[in-house]
C-alpha cells in the first residue's frame, strides 16, 4: 500500500462536457480502479452507506476482490452517495496530489450524470429536486395552509410515499405564509453608514430557496443583526436555486443553468467588495467548492456562510466604536447548547462555536473531529428508499448531542437541525428547543 497524502486535497475541475466523461465503459473502469483502492484501505467504512455497500459486495465474491463484483452492482454504491465530500475532505489518504488521484465523490457524480443522461432518473426524483416548483406555492393564502395540513396528515403522507417516494416519517419543511423576499426593502440605505460614513463592511445576502420559501425567520434574524449593528446590506436582487438538489441527481445541465443565472450577479458583488453571505451552508459550498464546473471561481472568494464569524466579524466593529461584547452586556445566557461539528465546511462551524462563546452561551461541540454527518443530505433523508439509512447514519450525532443533556440544539444547516431533532426524539431523548445559530445570536442581543 502506497504512502498516503499528507497535504490538503487538491480538487480538480470536472471536464463534464467532454465525451470521455459520459463514456460508461471508461467510467466503469475508473470505478473499478478506485473501488479496489478503497477495498484495500477501508478507512471510510463508517461515513455513509456507500462504503459498507461496496465492501459487502467485495466480501461476497469468490476471492474477495473487486474484479469479482458485477459492474451492474456498482450502481448500488453510487445510489448511496449523497456527495457530502466527507471521505474526500477528512479521511481518504489518496486524494490528489497523491499519484493515485482518488476523488470518490466526483467519481460518484460522474456515475450519477451518466445515469441521468441515459434516462435512469425518474419523474419522482426530478420533482423532489425541483425546489423552484415547490417554493412557488409559498406565500399563497389558503394554498399554504392546505399543503402544510396535507404534509402533516398520516393518510396524505402514505399517498406521498406511494406516489413520490417520500417516507411517511421523514420531516418535510412547511411552506412559509410570507416569503422572506416579499415586502422587504432590498437594502438598508437608511443607515448613515451607507451614505458614506465609516462602515465596517457591506453584506450581500443570498437568501436561498429554503430561507425564502420555508424558514424566512432565519433571514429575518440575520437582517435584524445587521440592522442592529448598522451594517449596510443588500439582499441579492436576482437569485435562483444554487443547484444542489439537481447535483445530487447528476443533472449537471440544470446546475449550470442555475449557476449561469447566479454567478455573474454574485461575481459583481465580490468585485465591489461585498461579503456575500448565505444562511444555508450547502448553498455556500456549492459556490465555493465548484463541484460540478469551474464557473464558481469567479465568486468563491466572496461567498461565506451566514454563521461564519469571518463574515459577521463586522458585528464586533460597530461604527460608534462599541464592540459587540459591549452591546451584549447584561444579556441572559440561553442554557446549555449542543451543536454538531461535522462534514466539510467544519471550519465555519468552528467559527460558529466562537460566535456562541462571544455571546456567552455554553457550547457543547458534539465531535472534535469532522468525521460524522447528520445523514439528512437533502433529498436523501426524505426518500422512502434511504430515510431509514439516513437516520442510521445520523445515530452517532443524535446520541452525542443527547448525551450533553442540552437545553437548546442548533445546527448551521437548518435541514440537518430538524433531522437531528427528529432522531433525538425517536431515541427517546428529552426534546430541547431547536434554534438556528443566527436566531440564538439575535436572542442574545435581546432583539425581538
Amino acid at each position: 500500500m502506497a504512502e498516503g497524502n499528507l497535504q490538503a486535497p487538491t480538487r480538480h475541475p470536472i471536464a463534464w462536457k467532454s465525451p470521455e466523461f459520459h463514456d460508461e465503459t471508461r467510467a466503469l473502469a475508473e470505478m473499478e480502479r478506485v473501488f479496489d483502492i478503497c477495498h484495500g484501505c477501508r478507512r471510510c467504512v463508517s461515513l455513509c452507506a456507500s462504503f459498507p455497500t461496496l465492501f459487502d459486495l467485495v466480501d461476497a465474491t469468490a476471492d474477495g476482490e473487486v474484479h469479482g463484483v458485477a459492474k451492474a452492482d456498482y450502481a448500488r454504491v453510487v445510489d448511496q452517495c449523497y456527495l457530502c465530500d466527507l471521505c474526500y475532505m477528512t479521511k481518504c489518504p489518496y486524494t490528489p496530489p497523491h499519484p493515485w488521484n482518488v476523488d470518490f465523490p466526483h467519481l460518484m457524480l460522474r456515475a450519477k450524470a451518466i445515469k441521468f443522461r441515459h434516462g435512469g432518473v425518474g419523474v419522482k426524483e426530478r420533482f423532489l429536486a425541483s425546489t423552484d416548483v415547490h417554493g412557488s406555492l409559498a406565500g399563497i393564502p389558503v394554498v399554504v395552509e392546505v399543503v402544510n395540513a396535507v404534509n402533516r396528515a398520516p393518510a396524505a403522507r402514505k399517498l406521498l410515499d406511494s406516489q413520490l417516494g417520500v417516507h411517511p416519517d421523514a420531516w418535510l419543511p412547511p411552506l412559509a405564509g410570507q416569503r422572506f423576499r416579499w415586502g422587504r426593502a432590498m437594502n438598508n440605505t437608511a443607515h448613515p453608514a451607507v451614505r458614506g460614513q465609516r462602515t465596517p463592511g457591506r453584506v450581500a445576502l443570498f437568501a436561498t430557496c429554503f430561507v425564502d420559501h420555508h424558514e424566512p425567520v432565519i433571514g429575518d434574524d440575520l437582517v435584524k443583526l445587521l440592522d442592529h449593528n448598522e451594517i449596510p446590506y443588500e439582499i441579492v436582487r436576482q437569485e435562483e436555486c444554487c443547484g444542489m438538489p439537481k447535483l445530487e441527481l447528476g443533472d449537471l445541465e440544470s446546475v449550470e443553468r442555475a449557476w449561469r443565472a447566479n454567478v455573474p450577479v454574485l461575481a459583481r458583488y465580490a468585485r465591489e467588495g461585498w461579503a456575500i453571505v448565505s444562511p444555508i451552508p450547502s448553498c455556500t459550498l456549492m459556490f465555493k467548492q465548484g463541484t460540478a464546473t469551474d464557473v464558481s471561481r469567479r465568486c468563491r472568494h466572496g461567498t461565506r456562510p451566514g454563521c461564519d464569524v469571518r463574515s459577521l466579524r463586522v458585528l464586533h466593529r460597530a461604527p460608534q466604536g462599541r464592540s459587540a461584547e459591549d452591546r451584549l452586556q447584561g444579556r441572559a445566557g440561553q442554557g446549555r447548547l449542543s451543536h454538531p461539528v461535522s462534514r466539510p465546511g467544519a471550519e465555519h462551524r468552528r467559527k460558529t462555536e466562537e460566535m456562541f462563546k462571544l455571546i456567552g452561551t455554553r457550547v457543547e461541540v458534539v465531535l472534535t473531529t469532522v468525521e460524522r454527518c447528520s445523514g439528512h443530505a437533502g433529498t436523501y433523508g426524505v426518500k422512502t428508499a434511504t430515510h431509514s439509512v439516513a437516520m442510521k447514519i445520523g445515530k452517532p450525532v443524535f446520541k452525542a448531542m443527547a448525551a450533553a443533556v442540552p437545553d437548546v440544539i442548533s445546527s448551521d444547516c437548518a435541514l440537518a437541525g430538524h433531522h437531528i431533532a427528529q432522531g433525538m426524539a425517536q431515541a427517546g431523548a428529552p426534546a430541547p428547543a431547536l434554534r438556528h445559530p443566527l436566531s440564538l445570536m439575535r436572542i442574545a442581543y435581546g432583539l425581538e
Side-chain angles (χ1 to χ4, degrees):
M1 187 64 67
E3 183 178 349
N5 171 40
L6 299 179
Q7 303 179 49
T10 300
R11 175 129 277 171
H12 299 303
I14 297 177
W16 66 277
K17 292 187 177 180
S18 68
E20 291 81 6
F21 181 82
H22 289 95
D23 186 311
E24 188 171 11
T25 301
R26 294 189 182 191
L28 289 171
E30 177 64 5
M31 278 192 277
E32 182 173 0
R33 182 188 78 85
V34 171
F35 287 174
D36 190 49
I37 295 171
C38 294
H39 159 56
C41 175
R42 301 204 174 198
R43 288 187 63 184
C44 296
V45 67
S46 64
L47 296 184
C48 68
S50 284
F51 296 100
T53 299
L54 170 61
F55 303 148
D56 285 347
L57 288 170
V58 174
D59 294 342
T61 62
D63 59 359
E65 297 296 340
V66 170
H67 62 244
V69 178
K71 296 295 189 293
D73 285 336
Y74 285 9
R76 295 168 57 185
V77 180
V78 176
D79 288 344
Q80 293 300 327
C81 177
Y82 42 80
L83 306 177
C84 75
D85 250 10
L86 195 54
C87 57
Y88 186 86
M89 298 299 292
T90 69
K91 277 284 193 179
C92 181
Y94 306 116
T95 57
H98 191 281
W100 287 0
N101 192 32
V102 173
D103 189 335
F104 190 90
H106 272 186
L107 182 58
M108 296 299 97
L109 177 61
R110 180 182 182 183
K112 290 174 184 289
I114 292 173
K115 177 182 177 180
F116 187 89
R117 177 165 287 193
H118 289 176
V121 178
V123 175
K124 296 178 182 180
E125 289 184 283
R126 294 186 188 213
F127 179 77
L128 286 178
S130 300
T131 57
D132 51 344
V133 176
H134 314 156
S136 65
L137 302 176
I140 302 177
V142 181
V143 173
V144 169
E145 288 79 2
V146 171
V147 171
N148 290 341
V150 167
N151 285 343
R152 292 191 298 266
R157 291 304 302 268
K158 289 182 180 179
L159 184 63
L160 286 177
D161 182 13
S162 62
Q163 298 301 313
L164 291 178
V166 175
H167 196 284
D169 297 331
W171 176 85
L172 293 178
L175 288 174
Q178 175 73 22
R179 295 190 193 181
F180 170 72
R181 296 170 64 89
W182 284 3
R184 176 180 294 281
M186 301 306 287
N187 57 55
N188 64 344
T189 53
H191 282 319
V194 184
R195 298 200 296 267
Q197 297 187 20
R198 178 178 178 270
T199 174
R202 298 183 298 172
V203 168
L205 174 55
F206 187 90
T208 76
C209 303
F210 185 81
V211 168
D212 192 37
H213 301 156
H214 301 288
E215 290 196 21
V217 65
I218 297 173
D220 292 339
D221 287 340
L222 177 53
V223 168
K224 287 175 183 178
L225 291 171
L226 297 172
D227 281 335
H228 180 71
N229 288 280
E230 300 184 14
I231 297 168
Y233 68 86
E234 182 169 308
I235 299 173
V236 175
R237 294 177 180 273
Q238 176 186 337
E239 67 174 59
E240 294 187 13
C241 174
C242 68
M244 176 63 80
K246 301 292 187 181
L247 185 75
E248 293 174 357
L249 299 183
D251 183 3
L252 300 185
E253 286 80 6
S254 292
V255 173
E256 185 180 47
R257 282 195 295 271
W259 283 21
R260 293 299 177 192
N262 287 321
V263 170
V265 177
L266 298 180
R268 177 180 64 81
Y269 282 108
R271 287 194 302 269
E272 295 176 0
W274 294 75
I276 304 170
V277 172
S278 162
I280 304 299
S282 59
C283 303
T284 303
L285 292 172
M286 277 294 289
F287 292 119
K288 290 191 72 172
Q289 293 186 355
T291 304
T293 71
D294 62 356
V295 296
S296 67
R297 291 177 178 177
R298 296 160 58 187
C299 71
R300 64 169 47 169
H301 298 297
T303 313
R304 297 166 179 166
C307 299
D308 191 333
V309 171
R310 288 174 298 176
S311 298
L312 297 181
R313 189 171 293 164
V314 288
L315 298 177
H316 306 287
R317 298 197 309 272
Q320 297 91 336
R322 289 184 296 157
S323 68
E325 288 85 350
D326 294 332
R327 295 185 173 207
L328 288 164
Q329 283 183 1
R331 301 300 182 193
Q334 300 177 54
R336 177 174 294 182
L337 169 68
S338 188
H339 183 81
V341 176
S342 59
R343 296 184 58 173
E347 179 185 356
H348 78 252
R349 286 170 169 81
R350 287 192 291 270
K351 294 296 183 180
T352 302
E353 180 186 355
E354 292 177 16
M355 183 182 77
F356 288 144
K357 291 178 179 177
L358 286 170
I359 63 177
T361 304
R362 181 176 179 181
V363 179
E364 299 285 351
V365 179
V366 174
L367 299 169
T368 55
T369 60
V370 287
E371 299 175 356
R372 292 294 183 185
C373 172
S374 73
H376 187 276
T379 58
Y380 185 90
V382 303
K383 292 177 182 177
T384 301
T386 51
H387 172 73
S388 59
V389 182
M391 299 303 291
K392 181 179 180 180
I393 291 170
K395 272 188 177 180
V397 176
F398 308 155
K399 290 181 179 179
M401 293 186 72
V405 193
D407 302 298
V408 181
I409 61 172
S410 182
S411 171
D412 290 356
C413 175
L415 287 168
H418 288 284
H419 188 71
I420 292 168
Q422 182 180 19
M424 292 174 67
Q426 289 182 358
L434 170 63
R435 294 193 180 98
H436 192 273
L438 291 169
S439 301
L440 292 169
M441 193 165 191
R442 187 263 305 164
I443 294 170
Y445 270 92
L447 302 176
E448 297 298 330

